[in-house]
Amino acid sequence: MKTKRLTMAQALIAFLKQQYVERDGNEQQFFAGVWGIFGHGNVAGIGQALDQERDFRYHLTRNEQAMVHTAAAFAKMSNRLRAFACTSSIGPGATNMITGAATATINRLPVLLLPGDIFARRNVAPVLQQLESEHSQDLSVNDCFKPVSRYWDRINRPDQLPFSLLEAMRVLTSPVETGAVTLALPQDVQAEAWDYPAELFEKRVWHIPRPPAERAMLERAAQVIRAARRPLIVAGGGVLYSEASNALAQFCQQTGIPVGETQAGKGSLNYDHPQNLGAIGVTGTPGANIVAREADLVIAVGTRLSDFTTASKTEFQNPDVRFINLNVAGFDAHKHAALPLIADARVALEELSTALSGYRVSDEYAVQIARHKQEWEAETDRLFNLRHGPPLSQSEVIGAVNAFSQPKDVVLCAAGSLPGDLHKLWRTRDPKGYHLEYGYSCMGYEIAGGLGVKLADLTREVYVMVGDGSYLMMAQEIVTAVAEGCKLNIIVLDNHGFSSIGGLSQAVGAGGYGTDYRYRHNDTGNFDGDLLPVDFAANAASLGAHTIRATTHEDLLKALDEARNQTRTTVVVVEVDKEKRVPGYESWWDVPIAEVSEIAAVQRARAEYEKAIKKERLFL
Ligand SMILES: Cc1ncc(C[n+]2csc(CCOP(=O)(O)OP(=O)(O)O)c2C)c(N)n1
Ligand SMILES: [Mg+2]
């Protein structure tokens, strides 16, 4: 057998370079490179290997959590056909990645995490940053990755590596199983050599399958659809990952069946497609939510049916409602006791189109859909043109960015009040034009994620819309964007605290307590003093960005224009009115209210809650 004597870390990098994926005959390299921060737990192993293998590009992040977000956003933008690896030192560098790992896994996005780990050799324990345990020596902080990884392993000997690498690739490239994959790499083992079989380093192409639905199930699904009077499609992220937008558009055009889009699925259809009712669920449009309430059949395509989509299981109120779940994962396909169509979205939608030839929804239903759409466009225009303030309303800022951006540009967001407003209002004109991380809704994803999106497609302008809270949590990747020459347009919406959780706090009777960014007041002892003088523009400028302050609508339009003409990452800071919110429409979210309290507002909220929760359904 031909072998190559390499350290474990050298072998790992040499292997990653040779991994390719292929779907629909298109082949491409799977790993675009590796993100990392070196410490003693990886510098002599992975760090040395990367120095030796300069054609496997190394990117230096400023925070390990951020780099996992960057990697996940890159994979999402690439429809999971490309990914990054992430290397960290041991201890805090490793555990910083856990939030990123959870974000990736919950959103079903492939990232390969390579945390350094404590010595396998043990004789020098406890080493710096080691979590000691009295009951086991087979334990380190990296065990914390287990629940947030779809595959987890620790490489305790260099000869274990090949078998773990093949498992890692199987999971990363599987549309069903993908998520974070963690290979914990003990510091000493990274530097140990072994005679690796040369075969391990040959080019390997992983086929990404498009499994068709079982014929019998497809026929049953077609029968059920033909019998339905008010069918509705819920389009999730799976539509986009499968590149099924055209198939869905054609299916809807042919059948007249309307669509509600989840956060991950927004963009499945262009906003002006006649059957697109827009956002569905807690942050949905009135049309999508009214149609959902009355639907007798829900065809859920590529969605996890999270509580934001199902309005905490109150979204679908027709007593006879049934579900067909078209999903590549059996787990999701069986939710809500659905008829499971386990298949690739694109393939199955094309097959269903054929099976439903001649079928079309009633004229009455079609008229209702058209009316909802028209009314929603008028409501969006109203919210885009409020001319409130200054401070401006958030909806006007969204309207300005939406109108200014080009169809193929990407808007990106993750947490706060922006995701709901964007879900409702953003007029998406390209399947990849709307990028919301709303599986984990992780504050701090925004700027780091924007970098991943930009790296995935340098031809598009990326508009990162970020609240002041999220910005303060993780703005340091501006430095990384500047270093990489990777231009982002970052719009900071400063409302001096948490509009989202502040509003929620008011709704649960807690009066917005603890959700404003203010000085602690000497008299009251609470944070109800003056507003804090945080200067976001000065902060962004200090990190190397071009910065612009905007106060009025006209300022904002000028700022967007100036930003577009910049080659450097540009941060536009605009103050918005926290209390001028976009309303909710025909929906509800289960946030349990205190069962007992002396406060009248809490008692009132509880009474409303007890009524609302009765609408939750079981779907067994
Ligand atoms: C890491 C993390 N911590 C806490 C939360 C809970 N949370 C959701 S939104 C929010 C406030 C966000 O503030 P900001 O970014 O200013 O947006 P705004 O609500 O003002 O629109 C918080 C604390 C979260 N989603 N993620
Ligand atoms: Mg805020």
Side-chain angles (χ1 to χ4, degrees):
M1 184 176 65
K2 241 182 97 190
T3 60
K4 213 169 170 186
R5 191 159 179 82
L6 295 171
T7 68
M8 182 263 261
Q10 290 162 357
L12 171 63
I13 301 302
F15 174 87
L16 296 183
K17 273 170 45 175
Q18 292 300 333
Q19 304 312 301
Y20 289 74
V21 292
E22 171 274 316
R23 185 166 74 175
D24 306 327
N26 301 320
E27 190 182 290
Q28 57 188 328
Q29 204 170 16
F30 187 60
F31 290 104
V34 56
W35 283 87
I37 294 183
F38 295 129
H40 69 278
N42 60 342
V43 73
I46 295 284
Q48 187 282 324
L50 287 171
D51 178 38
Q52 208 170 296
E53 303 267 7
R54 291 286 178 96
D55 55 339
F56 195 63
R57 186 171 263 204
Y58 175 70
H59 300 265
L60 172 58
T61 185
R62 269 70 196 168
N63 175 299
E64 292 89 351
Q65 180 188 326
M67 76 180 168
V68 187
H69 292 329
T70 302
F74 176 84
K76 185 177 168 87
M77 188 66 192
S78 311
N79 290 330
R80 313 194 291 202
L81 299 172
R82 300 187 77 199
F84 273 110
C86 294
T87 170
S88 82
S89 189
I90 80 165
T95 51
N96 265 356
M97 294 201 291
I98 288 170
T99 299
T103 308
T105 293
I106 286 167
N107 286 285
R108 317 262 172 92
L109 296 170
V111 295
L112 174 61
L113 306 182
L114 305 170
D117 211 328
I118 54 172
F119 281 50
R121 183 152 41 85
R122 293 185 181 167
N123 62 322
V124 291
V127 296
L128 179 66
Q129 302 174 327
Q130 175 169 348
L131 173 77
E132 284 187 274
S133 161
E134 302 87 339
H135 67 265
S136 173
Q137 292 190 61
D138 186 20
L139 185 150
S140 90
V141 293
N142 285 339
D143 289 84
C144 298
F145 283 95
K146 283 180 181 170
V148 292
S149 302
R150 296 305 304 273
Y151 180 81
W152 182 99
D153 213 344
R154 181 152 35 221
I155 314 298
N156 281 308
R157 299 159 44 125
D159 54 345
Q160 290 174 346
L161 182 71
F163 312 101
S164 298
L165 285 176
L166 296 185
E167 293 302 316
M169 286 306 300
R170 175 184 60 78
V171 173
L172 287 168
T173 59
S174 158
V176 180
E177 293 186 53
T178 198
V181 166
T182 302
L183 300 183
L185 308 176
Q187 186 188 336
D188 51 346
V189 185
Q190 286 180 46
E192 281 171 24
W194 190 59
D195 295 313
Y196 286 94
E199 214 180 348
L200 184 64
F201 309 114
E202 281 164 20
K203 177 175 169 180
R204 213 172 280 256
V205 184
W206 300 80
H207 173 68
I208 313 266
R210 289 194 179 276
E214 192 191 334
R215 180 74 13 216
M217 290 309 258
L218 193 90
E219 278 163 16
R220 269 167 66 179
Q223 257 173 28
V224 172
I225 296 170
R226 279 183 188 277
R229 288 185 311 111
R230 306 184 64 82
L232 167 71
I233 292 169
V234 177
V239 174
L240 296 170
Y241 301 141
S242 159
E243 296 173 296
S245 286
N246 287 341
L248 180 66
Q250 203 278 321
F251 179 83
C252 296
Q253 211 170 339
Q254 175 190 323
T255 60
I257 300 175
V259 173
E261 294 176 322
T262 72
Q263 282 279 19
K266 190 172 162 90
S268 292
L269 296 179
N270 282 356
Y271 83 98
D272 55 358
H273 186 287
Q275 271 73 43
N276 189 358
L277 288 170
I280 194 165
V282 179
T283 52
T285 66
N289 287 341
I290 290 168
V291 167
R293 192 156 65 211
E294 297 163 359
D296 58 353
L297 176 67
V298 176
I299 307 164
V301 187
T303 167
R304 304 183 299 127
L305 293 167
S306 82
D307 68 344
F308 257 74
T309 299
T310 69
S312 303
K313 300 257 166 93
T314 66
E315 181 78 5
F316 310 108
Q317 287 295 321
N318 186 326
D320 300 321
V321 68
R322 288 287 174 274
F323 295 83
I324 294 173
N325 290 0
L326 164 50
N327 207 295
V328 73
F331 176 62
D332 294 310
H334 280 88
K335 286 175 179 172
H336 290 204
L339 186 159
L341 260 191
I342 302 172
D344 171 71
R346 193 171 95 184
V347 168
L349 282 169
E350 283 166 358
E351 290 189 332
L352 273 177
S353 290
T354 309
L356 286 168
S357 136
Y359 165 86
R360 209 173 156 76
V361 298
S362 72
D363 290 348
E364 178 226 333
Y365 193 37
V367 167
Q368 185 196 349
I369 293 158
R371 183 170 42 79
H372 282 312
K373 257 196 94 60
Q374 205 179 3
E375 286 171 3
W376 180 246
E377 290 315 312
E379 173 68 350
T380 306
D381 284 336
R382 182 184 75 79
L383 288 158
F384 279 177
N385 295 296
L386 283 182
R387 297 299 173 267
H388 175 82
L392 300 180
S393 70
Q394 186 157 286
S395 63
E396 286 176 274
V397 178
I398 293 172
V401 178
N402 195 185
F404 184 84
S405 61
Q406 298 297 304
K408 281 185 102 72
D409 293 345
V410 184
V411 68
L412 182 143
C413 189
S417 59
L418 275 163
D421 294 359
L422 287 165
H423 192 208
K424 287 173 213 166
L425 300 175
W426 190 264
R427 288 169 167 159
T428 316
R429 297 152 290 172
D430 179 86
K432 300 310 291 185
Y434 181 86
H435 184 121
L436 242 292
E437 187 287 288
Y438 213 65
Y440 210 37
S441 185
C442 186
M443 289 170 75
Y445 177 90
E446 296 88 347
I447 296 172
L451 194 50
V453 169
K454 186 71 183 176
L455 284 170
D457 189 346
L458 295 168
T459 66
R460 305 189 195 222
E461 290 288 328
V462 177
Y463 289 92
V464 175
M465 297 194 73
V466 58
D468 53 319
S470 277
Y471 180 95
L472 287 175
M473 207 172 271
M474 205 173 277
Q476 77 292 329
E477 294 314 300
I478 288 173
V479 179
T480 309
V482 170
E484 295 280 352
C486 216
K487 187 230 174 160
L488 302 177
N489 304 276
I490 300 169
I491 323 291
V492 182
L493 289 92
D494 181 11
N495 53 21
H496 314 286
F498 308 161
S499 171
S500 52
I501 304 300
L504 186 60
S505 169
Q506 285 167 19
V508 302
Y513 179 69
T515 59
D516 274 352
Y517 285 146
R518 289 175 181 276
Y519 288 99
R520 191 184 287 286
H521 201 291
N522 281 340
D523 300 339
T524 64
N526 293 324
F527 291 114
D528 48 13
D530 288 340
L531 292 174
L532 290 168
V534 183
D535 186 337
F536 290 95
N539 179 277
S542 78
L543 300 178
H546 177 69
T547 60
I548 312 166
R549 293 169 218 263
T551 308
T552 64
H553 189 77
E554 290 65 39
D555 289 350
L556 180 60
L557 296 182
K558 266 194 241 144
L560 292 171
D561 200 43
E562 189 178 327
R564 176 171 284 277
N565 293 322
Q566 285 289 321
T567 50
R568 191 161 45 125
T569 285
T570 300
V571 176
V572 177
V573 182
V574 54
E575 192 186 358
V576 290
D577 184 343
K578 187 152 83 147
E579 301 305 326
K580 194 70 190 165
R581 296 187 172 90
V582 177
Y585 301 92
E586 308 283 342
S587 198
W588 181 74
W589 188 34
D590 189 340
V591 180
I593 313 280
E595 206 168 343
V596 291
S597 171
E598 300 289 310
I599 299 166
V602 179
Q603 292 165 356
R604 275 197 303 276
R606 175 72 194 185
E608 287 297 314
Y609 177 76
E610 283 175 10
K611 258 192 270 161
I613 200 172
K614 293 205 174 80
K615 294 217 167 112
E616 289 184 2
R617 301 193 55 188
L618 300 178
F619 303 130
L620 300 174

